[in-house]
Amino acid sequence: MYNNKYKYILTLLKHIYEVILVSKEKNDIKEKKSKKKLGDVKRRNKGEGSIRKKGNSYEGRVTIEIDGIKKQVSVSDKDKRVVIQKMAQIKNESENNSYILSNNITVEEWLKKWINTYKRGVVNNNTLSSYIIAITKYIVPEIGKYELQKIQPIHIQQILTKMKTGQCKTTKKQLAPKTIKDTYCVLNMAFEAAIKNNLLKSNCVQKVDPPKLRVKEPEIMSREEQREFENLLAHKYEFTVYLFLLKTGERASEAAGSDWDDIDFKNRIVMVRNGLVCTALFTEELKRQKNTVEESDLKTESSVRKIPMLFGAYELLKKYREEYMKVNNIKSIAELKGKPLFLTSKGNRIKADFLWTKLSRYLKQIGFRHIGVHQLRHTFATRCLEAGISVKYLQKLLGHSTSRMTDRYTHLLIEFEKEENKKIEEFYKNNILKEEKKTPIIYKGKIKGKIRIIRKIA
């Protein structure tokens, strides 16, 4: 009886043990599943994002706000701690408005967007044209297909070096320092705008030293050359414009934009109020469309000025007016109102580039050395300084906004003064030192015949 009782108790205990064991195993399995789930997606504090296991690495996601729009950004790494650090960095940069979303926009795409958004309609067409030429000719062929965010300072430096050494894809000619500097400035402006649009963190263009511009001395005509130049053109009606530039110091574009209304014979003043330039127009895809001639604002406010009729400009313009009226069949001076001051042989208003081409061709034809149109302005400035006017007044006549540009001519004046001093030295050597010595004349205890008069020693 007792044996049966013990057997029953043992069986019962064994059954209870099995039930407990099974229950424990179930709890263990449940706990494992729970841990696995927590390992896959770990819920973090609100706003910190989430992390989950993805293959052999971890993926973190965090929501940030850019320009008022919420965006979810994901990062990944094999090390969970690195993911956490990246997420914290993104969150911090977002709060400081310095986070940059990954963007695969290319340099070419951004430059087109920048030109059409920030420059077209803001700067004049001539300036816009110079920007687009720098982009299409020197920048896009080199780095246009690169992603904007992958551009490094070395890429910028390579562009500038190739321009300097004549290794560009579009030209094998060594480019002028000013062209290189202008291209550098275009890149700098475009990259600065990219920073403002959260496309870049920093401007790598500014990590490259800008090219230094050589201060080129203005080329001028000597007095003898100027005399010969004026004699050659004196009786040629169609070349009067060049003598006008030589006697007023105007820019070619200013002369092209001048009308008879700008000539005040009564007060003997030439007024400079606008310019005329030939410029290229481009489509939004930066393709050349056509060339156009248009009035342009002068370079600076100080370019609007009044120039007195110096160096015979009054007589030149009076004679030219008579010939102009005969050639164009104009009966009275009143009919000149609103008419262009200078015309081509076909009766059209002249253009600045036309002036350059015509003068170069004519001087080559007669065997005179090459004189650029701008050299006429330089020569005018130098003659003014030689005549003794102040640099400040010359700055006003030339329409320079600062004296920095005008100061270039003072060096030429110093050279002129040196030449004049040499003449004095030559005169002294040839006429004083080589003069035959005279026998001293003794009178009143003094010796005459030398520059220095000494007393006669008894």
Side-chain angles (χ1 to χ4, degrees):
M1 181 179 177
Y2 288 105
N3 288 334
N4 290 336
K5 205 173 189 179
Y6 287 132
K7 283 181 181 180
Y8 174 78
I9 292 171
L10 286 171
T11 302
L12 183 62
L13 289 172
K14 187 178 179 181
H15 180 69
I16 292 171
Y17 174 76
E18 287 175 353
V19 170
I20 293 171
L21 191 64
V22 169
S23 178
K24 187 176 182 302
E25 286 177 355
K26 285 182 179 180
N27 287 336
D28 288 343
I29 291 170
K30 191 176 180 180
E31 190 174 347
K32 280 183 180 180
K33 286 182 178 180
S34 178
K35 284 182 179 180
K36 187 177 180 181
K37 189 175 181 181
L38 286 171
D40 284 343
V41 180
K42 182 177 179 181
R43 303 299 280 173
R44 300 167 61 78
N45 293 333
K46 189 176 181 181
E48 290 184 355
S50 61
I51 300 174
R52 70 172 182 172
K53 192 85 164 65
K54 191 175 181 181
N56 295 327
S57 60
Y58 291 90
E59 181 186 56
R61 293 186 179 182
V62 61
T63 302
I64 60 174
E65 189 172 312
I66 297 177
D67 297 331
I69 301 171
K70 290 186 176 181
K71 295 181 181 288
Q72 192 175 72
V73 181
S74 63
V75 293
S76 61
D77 197 275
K78 290 183 178 181
D79 191 332
K80 191 175 181 179
R81 288 170 296 182
V82 173
V83 172
I84 294 172
Q85 289 172 0
K86 286 182 178 180
M87 291 171 67
Q89 183 181 353
I90 290 171
K91 195 70 180 174
N92 184 50
E93 288 178 354
S94 173
E95 290 171 354
N96 295 329
N97 295 320
S98 61
Y99 178 71
I100 304 298
L101 278 172
S102 178
N103 194 311
N104 60 359
I105 186 171
T106 66
V107 173
E108 182 177 11
E109 290 168 345
W110 170 245
L111 288 174
K112 286 179 181 178
K113 187 174 288 188
W114 171 71
I115 275 287
N116 293 320
T117 306
Y118 288 94
K119 296 303 174 183
R120 193 181 292 275
V122 177
V123 299
N124 63 50
N125 285 334
N126 201 39
T127 302
L128 182 70
S129 174
S130 68
Y131 290 168
I132 294 176
I133 289 171
I135 290 169
T136 56
K137 203 168 182 181
Y138 308 122
I139 301 173
V140 168
E142 303 294 338
I143 60 171
K145 302 303 179 186
Y146 287 45
E147 288 184 17
L148 182 68
Q149 293 182 345
K150 292 182 179 179
I151 294 297
Q152 299 296 320
I154 191 170
H155 296 121
I156 308 300
Q157 187 63 64
Q158 285 172 345
I159 292 174
L160 304 181
T161 302
K162 286 181 179 180
M163 293 178 74
K164 187 176 181 181
T165 57
Q167 296 178 11
C168 293
K169 290 182 178 179
T170 54
T171 178
K172 298 305 176 186
K173 179 183 175 183
Q174 292 183 0
L175 297 169
K178 186 180 184 305
T179 305
I180 301 173
K181 182 70 179 287
D182 290 346
T183 303
Y184 174 90
C185 291
V186 169
L187 279 165
N188 187 49
M189 289 188 289
F191 277 60
E192 280 295 308
I195 292 173
K196 293 176 182 177
N197 284 273
N198 290 323
L199 291 172
L200 294 174
K201 281 186 180 180
S202 63
N203 185 352
C204 67
V205 179
Q206 294 184 354
K207 296 177 183 177
V208 177
D209 292 332
K212 294 180 180 178
L213 286 178
R214 283 197 318 266
V215 180
K216 191 177 180 181
E217 288 183 14
E219 293 184 32
I220 65 165
M221 287 189 281
S222 66
R223 292 179 180 182
E224 291 75 17
E225 284 180 322
Q226 181 176 347
R227 194 177 297 113
E228 185 181 354
F229 182 85
E230 290 190 26
N231 288 336
L232 285 168
L233 304 186
H235 304 294
K236 295 185 180 296
Y237 164 78
E238 68 274 21
F239 286 94
T240 304
V241 60
Y242 299 108
L243 297 178
F244 173 80
L245 294 174
L246 185 60
K247 295 175 185 296
T248 61
E250 281 196 13
R251 301 175 177 94
S253 60
E254 293 170 344
S258 295
D259 295 330
W260 279 106
D261 299 355
D262 300 320
I263 308 300
D264 183 351
F265 283 102
K266 182 179 179 181
N267 296 303
R268 300 196 176 199
I269 287 173
V270 176
M271 289 171 281
V272 183
R273 291 185 278 208
N274 52 44
L276 194 75
V277 294
C278 179
T279 186
L281 297 182
F282 292 83
T283 66
E284 291 190 355
E285 288 298 312
L286 309 191
K287 302 294 183 185
R288 187 184 286 267
Q289 200 170 21
K290 63 178 181 178
N291 291 343
T292 182
V293 178
E294 58 184 28
E295 282 193 8
S296 67
D297 295 331
L298 298 178
K299 293 183 76 173
T300 60
E301 289 183 8
S302 55
S303 293
V304 179
R305 61 198 189 278
K306 296 178 180 179
I307 304 173
M309 296 183 187
L310 305 171
F311 304 123
Y314 177 77
E315 291 77 12
L316 174 76
L317 286 169
K318 283 205 77 172
K319 181 183 175 184
Y320 173 68
R321 183 174 65 179
E322 292 175 8
E323 295 177 346
Y324 184 100
M325 292 174 68
K326 287 180 183 177
V327 170
N328 295 285
N329 196 27
I330 295 174
K331 304 300 182 183
S332 67
I333 294 175
E335 292 179 46
L336 291 173
K337 187 175 178 61
K339 293 190 178 297
L341 182 59
F342 297 107
L343 300 171
T344 65
S345 57
K346 294 182 179 179
N348 300 318
R349 184 188 285 272
I350 61 168
K351 299 181 289 187
D353 57 337
F354 166 83
L355 290 176
W356 286 82
T357 306
K358 184 173 181 177
L359 181 62
S360 178
R361 188 184 296 127
Y362 176 70
L363 294 180
K364 187 177 181 180
Q365 181 184 338
I366 63 174
F368 198 89
R369 83 169 178 90
H370 174 73
I371 300 289
V373 171
H374 215 62
Q375 280 181 247
L376 304 178
R377 177 174 164 87
H378 295 327
T379 302
F380 167 83
T382 306
R383 296 290 103 88
C384 285
L385 287 174
E386 289 174 359
I389 74 167
S390 67
V391 174
K392 191 68 179 174
Y393 184 54
L394 178 60
Q395 176 188 336
K396 182 180 177 181
L397 292 180
L398 295 176
H400 288 158
S401 56
T402 67
S403 61
R404 185 175 62 86
M405 292 295 291
T406 317
D407 286 340
R408 296 186 304 163
Y409 300 107
T410 58
H411 172 71
L412 297 174
L413 185 60
I414 292 170
E415 293 300 319
F416 165 73
E417 290 173 347
K418 285 181 180 179
E419 291 298 320
E420 295 299 303
N421 290 337
K422 281 182 183 178
K423 292 178 183 178
I424 297 172
E425 288 293 326
E426 288 297 321
F427 174 81
Y428 176 72
K429 288 177 183 177
N430 296 328
N431 297 281
I432 305 298
L433 294 182
K434 289 184 180 180
E435 190 178 45
E436 188 177 342
K437 293 183 180 179
K438 296 179 181 179
T439 305
I441 301 172
I442 300 174
Y443 70 102
K444 291 185 181 181
K446 295 182 179 180
I447 299 177
K448 186 179 179 182
K450 294 184 179 180
I451 295 175
R452 186 166 58 93
I453 300 175
I454 59 173
R455 290 183 181 278
K456 181 181 178 183
I457 300 174

